[in-house]
Structures are given as structure tokens and as C-alpha cells.
Amino acid sequence: MKKPLVGALFAVLLLGAGIAPATAATSHGAAPAGHTAVKAEKAVRAKAVNFAGTVALSNCSGSVVRTPSSQPGDPALVLSNGHCLETGFPAPGAVVFNRSSSRSFTLLNASGSGVGTVRASKIAYGTMTDTDISVYQLTSTYAQIESRYGIKALELSTTHPVAGTAITVASGYWKRLYSCNVDGFVYRLKEGNWTWKDSVRYTSACQTIGGTSGSPVIDNATGKVVAVNNTGNEDGQRCTDNNPCEVDESGKVTVRQGINYAQETYGIAACIGTGSVFDLNRSGCTLPKP
């Protein structure tokens, strides 16, 4: 799991808090010689997606999100990872549902500057079973956030992502954009005690680090959130913590050191009803139940 307490703090200790994000930003940004067209294309993509609507948590990244049917007066929602919950990692099979929370989030504008603090009223939903998501309901409505800060929520896509799609992982924690493509999908992704279904695999250009957990994965063409960044194989180990492995339908295990992953989010909207209320019995909702 891409939490900051290992990778990010280690980088801070070595390089200094002000240097670590910049170092990460330049570690793989340059295109190989002779590939200026590709480099120019990536530069355009980076400008197309920015930090507006992303948030920084105390230990992870996240974003203010809405469904296609969300109304301005609905309480706003923040999306992150289940393993970023302040209550700790949910056990396999566990679901956190409508639990009171007063967690705060730093809201970012397009350039990555913090413009204010928004606060949760509850953890509307959280799990690390089948997927790795947390959704907080805020004390502010979408209209209040837009009026006060000029920030619109990112829209959740309601369709399955497509292989080859150009994407950007936008980390509010590090104020860092990672541009790559959807490489493919993993039938089962196993990490330690947890198993996730139909995960997104990035191409190698997205070298996400600790602290990027919970970052929205944004389709560059539509601007919609198609997944939430959550993990990567750091050391080449097989199916251990911080070293997820891929398992196909026949049970074959594949380890891809240095490759990173996300969890699809297209199914979340079906579980959210009027007033941003999670209803796990709604038609089309397939999220695990408590």
C-alpha cells in the first residue's frame, strides 16, 4: 500500500521535506532522446489535468468527488483508500459504514496550493475487501465548497476504464502529477491478507510513491475519475505487504516489480442515492456490505 510512513518519510529524512516532492517529480519526467513528440504530448496531458478538487490527508491523498446525479445542495464526498482510514486497515471482509468522523482535509486549487480546510461528518463507506476505498461525507455541500473556494468536485465515471487510456494520478499529498496509460486489468490482486478484484495496472511511467495512496486516477480525455491509486510492488516479493502479486483466473501468479496499481471506481456511483447517502441495497450496487 502506498502510504507515506515508509516511502515518503524515508525520502524526507534523506532529502529534506522541501526537496522530496521535487526529486520525485524529476525522477522519470524526461523523455528518451529522439522522443520529443512524446515528451510534448505528455506536457500537454499534464496541463489538461490539474490539482483542482484534490485533497491532502494527514497520511494520504484524495479528492472531492460527485456522481452524475449529485445536486449542489448535497453534502460533498471525499474519496480515498480504505487503508488510509484513521481507524486503521479494515480487516479482510470488514466494511466501515456510516461511522462518525471529524477528519479534516486540505483542499487544493489547480496549481496545487491549499485554499482551505474541509471537514468530514462521517466515514460513509470504507473497505479493503474486493477494492480499497474510503468515502467521507463532509459537513460542507458542493455548492458551499464552490462558492467559498471556487473548486468544483471531480465527477466519478460510471463506465469501466479502457486499456490504453491516457490517465493522470493526481496526488494532493505530494502535489505531484503522474502521467501514464492504463496497461490492463488484473483479475485478482493479492497483497498480504487482502485481495482486490479487477484492478487497474499502470504502464511503467506512473512511478507512484508513498503518500500517493487515495489519489484520483483521472481520464485525461474526459476529466472523470476512473480509479483510485492504491499500491505497487516495491521489492519484487510475491504477494506480501507492499508487494502485490497478480493472480489470473487459472491461479497463475505474476510478480511485476516496480509496477503500480489502482482500484476501479465506476461502481461507486450506483451505491449513492439522494443527499449523498450510501445505500448498499440500491440497484446496481455491488460494493461489499457490512
Side-chain angles (χ1 to χ4, degrees), residues 118-165:
V118 292
R119 191 171 297 278
S121 61
K122 65 180 178 180
I123 302 167
Y125 185 88
T127 192
M128 289 177 66
T129 298
D130 295 349
T131 185
D132 183 9
I133 63 169
S134 61
V135 181
Y136 290 84
Q137 187 177 111
L138 302 184
T139 58
S140 305
T141 66
Y142 293 111
Q144 287 171 334
I145 290 174
E146 187 171 354
S147 174
R148 191 173 301 156
Y149 305 113
I151 301 296
K152 293 184 178 180
L154 299 173
E155 184 175 332
L156 292 170
S157 173
T158 57
T159 59
H160 193 286
V162 177
T165 298

Side-chain angles (χ1 to χ4, degrees), residues 165-184:
T165 298
I167 54 174
T168 299
V169 182
S171 171
Y173 185 93
W174 285 119
K175 302 177 178 61
R176 170 78 169 94
L177 301 176
Y178 300 81
S179 296
C180 60
N181 294 78
V182 175
D183 186 51

Side-chain angles (χ1 to χ4, degrees), residues 55-78:
V55 300
L57 286 67
S58 59
N59 61 343
C60 288
S61 300
S63 57
V64 179
V65 295
R66 65 178 180 87
T67 72
S69 60
S70 293
Q71 298 300 306
D74 291 341
L77 301 173
V78 163

Side-chain angles (χ1 to χ4, degrees), residues 1-286:
M1 272 79 72
K2 293 291 183 183
K3 294 193 74 175
L5 296 180
V6 177
L9 289 186
F10 182 66
V12 169
L13 288 172
L14 288 178
L15 302 171
I19 300 174
T23 302
T26 58
S27 62
H28 60 272
H35 287 67
T36 54
V38 174
K39 183 176 180 180
E41 182 183 4
K42 286 186 176 180
V44 170
R45 288 176 181 173
K47 292 178 181 178
V49 175
N50 56 48
F51 296 102
T54 64
V55 300
L57 286 67
S58 59
N59 61 343
C60 288
S61 300
S63 57
V64 179
V65 295
R66 65 178 180 87
T67 72
S69 60
S70 293
Q71 298 300 306
D74 291 341
L77 301 173
V78 163
L79 172 69
S80 190
N81 284 149
H83 78 260
C84 294
L85 287 168
E86 70 269 33
T87 53
F89 289 12
V95 172
V96 180
F97 190 68
N98 284 338
R99 182 178 298 181
S100 178
S101 173
S102 59
R103 193 169 194 181
S104 61
F105 311 88
T106 302
L107 181 66
L108 306 184
N109 63 14
S111 65
S113 297
V115 294
T117 299
V118 292
R119 191 171 297 278
S121 61
K122 65 180 178 180
I123 302 167
Y125 185 88
T127 192
M128 289 177 66
T129 298
D130 295 349
T131 185
D132 183 9
I133 63 169
S134 61
V135 181
Y136 290 84
Q137 187 177 111
L138 302 184
T139 58
S140 305
T141 66
Y142 293 111
Q144 287 171 334
I145 290 174
E146 187 171 354
S147 174
R148 191 173 301 156
Y149 305 113
I151 301 296
K152 293 184 178 180
L154 299 173
E155 184 175 332
L156 292 170
S157 173
T158 57
T159 59
H160 193 286
V162 177
T165 298
I167 54 174
T168 299
V169 182
S171 171
Y173 185 93
W174 285 119
K175 302 177 178 61
R176 170 78 169 94
L177 301 176
Y178 300 81
S179 296
C180 60
N181 294 78
V182 175
D183 186 51
F185 306 97
V186 183
Y187 176 69
R188 296 289 185 269
L189 190 67
K190 287 183 61 65
E191 180 173 345
N193 296 322
W194 293 275
T195 299
W196 303 307
K197 298 179 179 178
D198 196 22
S199 303
V200 174
R201 181 200 309 119
Y202 306 142
T203 52
S204 59
C206 278
Q207 289 295 304
T208 50
I209 60 174
T212 62
S213 282
S215 300
V217 180
I218 301 169
D219 183 322
N220 291 355
T222 66
K224 295 181 180 181
V225 177
V226 296
V228 58
N229 180 67
N230 81 309
T231 194
N233 188 293
E234 297 180 1
D235 307 312
Q237 296 178 19
R238 176 185 170 113
C239 314
T240 62
D241 289 350
N242 303 312
N243 292 283
C245 64
E246 301 181 12
V247 183
D248 68 15
E249 294 179 76
S250 67
K252 179 185 176 182
V253 176
T254 301
V255 173
R256 302 179 191 270
Q257 184 175 3
I259 295 299
N260 297 290
Y261 303 89
Q263 300 308 307
E264 296 164 358
T265 52
Y266 73 95
I268 295 176
C271 304
I272 301 173
T274 303
S276 300
V277 175
F278 266 75
D279 180 357
L280 303 181
N281 294 314
R282 294 186 86 224
S283 176
C285 179
T286 59

